Amino acid sequence: MMGTCRKIPKTWSHWICALYSTSALCIFYFSIPTLKFFCSFLPMEKCSLKSSMMLNLDNRIDAKLDLLSRQDVQTCTSWKAPIIWQGMFDPNEYDQEHKSQGSSVALTVFAVGRYLDVYLKDFLYSSEQHFMLGLPVTYYVFTDTPEKVPNIKLNPQRSLKIIKVERHKRWQDISMMRMKSISQLIESDIRNHSTHVFCFDVDQLFTGRFGSEALGDSVALLHAHYYRLPRWLFTYDQNPKSNAYLEMGDFYYHAAVFGGSWRSVKALADACHRSIMEDKQNNVEALWHDESHLNKYFWLHKPSRILSPEYCWDANLGSRSDIRVRRLMWAPKYYNKLRIS
């Protein structure tokens, strides 16, 4: 490294050495917690659009997004999709627009095994305080023990349906096979009742507005642990034998939250399920299971809307100036006790 720096003009050497040093430190990002704070200062790319009128609009209200209000973060993508951050939008305008459009939302969540006991009640209760308030919402709880689903008092225009599913022997299979279940449910029920679908992991807690500004045709979420890291550190599946193989993508997306119109979510779920089953036939398992397949899908089919890490934050990352509101938080993880081997 030092030899490389000596070959570069002195005016640039200090900056390039600093960049190399930063990248090297980020290699240990996940093994040395104190470096997470250091890596949070890495700059994000900037939105190249001068006006939200230049976006490929999901909704007409998107034309009022203030892309320049957040100079500290990236507010749009190279394919002209918005990245939603606090301060870019007027929540009341979004709510009024979606009410006038007759938008309605299906929320799917899997609570299998002890995950139901530990997480589901708090997830549902917090959702009633913060998720898509003012819009019709139907909860679809997938579980192997329907009798244990808690009785939560729901707000007007909100309902809950329970779908019994098989409990697989391995948690990895539970994670991957949810795509098939989501697709089947959209075909049999959701498409007849809801305009949009959001799919969540159950080990999360709503702590702030998760509102209609998140609705779009195809919605992905920036992973809180990766959104400021260089792309070469993203943990895409690097096995060429897997359908999830991806050498380099746009962003690293978190499978804990994804959504969109029911048609788009069904297309995603069908594609991921096909890829997972083909891998199984070839005795291949993607690095991060359904999340690896989801990242490959969003590389091939760009999301029309991206949610910032405000929409799924990990408290272990600490406080950051760019995270002005925490809308959904990771709940404490007890993998050793809850996951099936």
Side-chain angles (χ1 to χ4, degrees):
M1 183 184 300
M2 292 303 294
T4 301
C5 289
R6 282 194 290 268
K7 295 178 183 178
I8 299 171
K10 292 182 178 179
T11 53
W12 292 96
S13 63
H14 295 297
W15 289 104
I16 294 179
C17 282
L19 178 61
Y20 284 156
S21 298
T22 300
S23 298
L25 286 171
C26 283
I27 294 174
F28 304 102
Y29 177 77
F30 294 102
S31 58
I32 305 177
T34 55
L35 292 181
K36 295 179 182 180
F37 176 77
F38 181 79
C39 289
S40 70
F41 290 100
L42 290 175
M44 297 185 74
E45 295 182 11
K46 298 302 179 184
C47 179
S48 61
L49 303 182
K50 302 301 182 183
S51 166
S52 57
M53 293 292 292
M54 302 171 70
L55 290 167
N56 293 323
L57 303 178
D58 253 342
N59 309 284
R60 60 185 179 182
I61 196 66
D62 285 345
K64 293 186 177 181
L65 285 170
D66 189 349
L67 300 178
L68 303 179
S69 65
R70 293 297 302 269
Q71 295 297 313
D72 54 334
V73 292
Q74 185 175 351
T75 57
C76 74
T77 70
S78 60
W79 59 92
K80 299 181 180 180
I83 304 176
I84 307 299
W85 296 85
Q86 175 73 1
M88 288 176 54
F89 61 91
D90 183 331
N92 293 324
E93 289 186 348
Y94 270 92
D95 289 346
Q96 291 172 10
E97 179 70 16
H98 279 281
K99 286 178 182 178
S100 68
Q101 291 178 5
S103 297
S104 53
V105 185
L107 184 159
T108 73
V109 64
F110 283 71
V112 178
R114 291 196 61 204
Y115 276 79
L116 186 153
D117 301 322
V118 176
Y119 296 117
L120 183 60
K121 183 177 181 179
D122 289 341
F123 176 88
L124 293 174
Y125 180 80
S126 65
S127 177
E128 280 298 283
Q129 313 305 311
H130 300 292
F131 181 74
M132 301 294 167
L133 300 185
L135 293 181
V137 172
T138 303
Y139 297 101
Y140 293 89
V141 177
F142 293 85
T143 182
D144 57 328
T145 53
E147 67 279 4
K148 296 175 69 176
V149 173
N151 184 20
I152 300 292
K153 184 178 179 181
L154 302 177
N155 293 318
Q157 299 189 85
R158 299 165 88 94
S159 60
L160 186 149
K161 297 183 180 182
I162 302 171
I163 300 92
K164 186 171 183 178
V165 293
E166 177 185 356
R167 183 179 181 181
H168 295 274
K169 293 181 179 179
R170 301 167 64 245
W171 69 265
Q172 294 93 334
D173 292 323
I174 296 172
S175 175
M176 290 188 288
M177 295 309 292
R178 69 171 175 160
M179 292 297 185
K180 178 182 179 181
S181 299
I182 290 170
S183 174
Q184 291 176 336
L185 181 65
I186 291 173
E187 181 63 31
S188 65
D189 193 309
I190 290 176
R191 62 181 294 172
N192 301 317
H193 304 291
S194 302
T195 60
H196 295 79
V197 184
F198 259 98
C199 306
F200 288 89
D201 284 352
V202 71
D203 51 350
Q204 305 178 101
L205 191 69
F206 291 92
T207 55
R209 172 192 167 92
F210 198 118
S212 57
E213 73 282 351
L215 297 176
D217 182 58
S218 176
V219 184
L221 167 76
L222 294 184
H223 198 299
H225 284 258
Y226 294 90
Y227 74 106
R228 281 194 177 273
L229 294 184
R231 295 182 187 181
W232 60 270
L233 285 175
F234 294 170
T235 55
Y236 300 125
D237 190 282
Q238 296 294 303
N239 181 3
K241 295 182 179 180
S242 173
N243 282 316
Y245 171 74
L246 183 57
E247 184 175 350
M248 186 66 70
D250 303 302
F251 302 95
Y252 191 84
Y253 303 113
H254 196 176
V257 180
F258 62 92
S261 67
W262 67 260
R263 289 183 177 85
S264 291
V265 175
K266 187 176 189 306
L268 180 155
D270 285 341
C272 288
H273 180 247
R274 284 194 302 269
S275 294
I276 290 168
M277 295 309 295
E278 288 177 10
D279 275 5
K280 277 183 169 291
Q281 292 175 1
N282 296 323
N283 295 316
V284 175
E285 191 167 281
L287 177 64
W288 294 114
H289 313 105
D290 60 335
E291 184 168 273
S292 295
H293 290 277
L294 178 139
N295 270 275
K296 178 65 172 287
Y297 182 86
F298 279 137
W299 165 247
L300 297 174
H301 308 275
K302 309 297 188 191
S304 65
R305 191 176 212 79
I306 296 178
L307 304 181
S308 71
E310 299 167 354
Y311 289 83
C312 189
W313 187 248
D314 181 6
N316 290 322
L317 293 172
S319 298
R320 294 186 179 177
S321 60
D322 55 2
I323 305 299
R324 299 180 181 178
V325 60
R326 302 178 181 189
R327 306 178 187 278
L328 182 70
M329 297 291 294
W330 296 23
K333 312 297 183 183
Y334 308 107
Y335 292 140
N336 292 336
K337 295 181 179 180
L338 300 181
R339 282 184 171 175
I340 306 167
S341 60

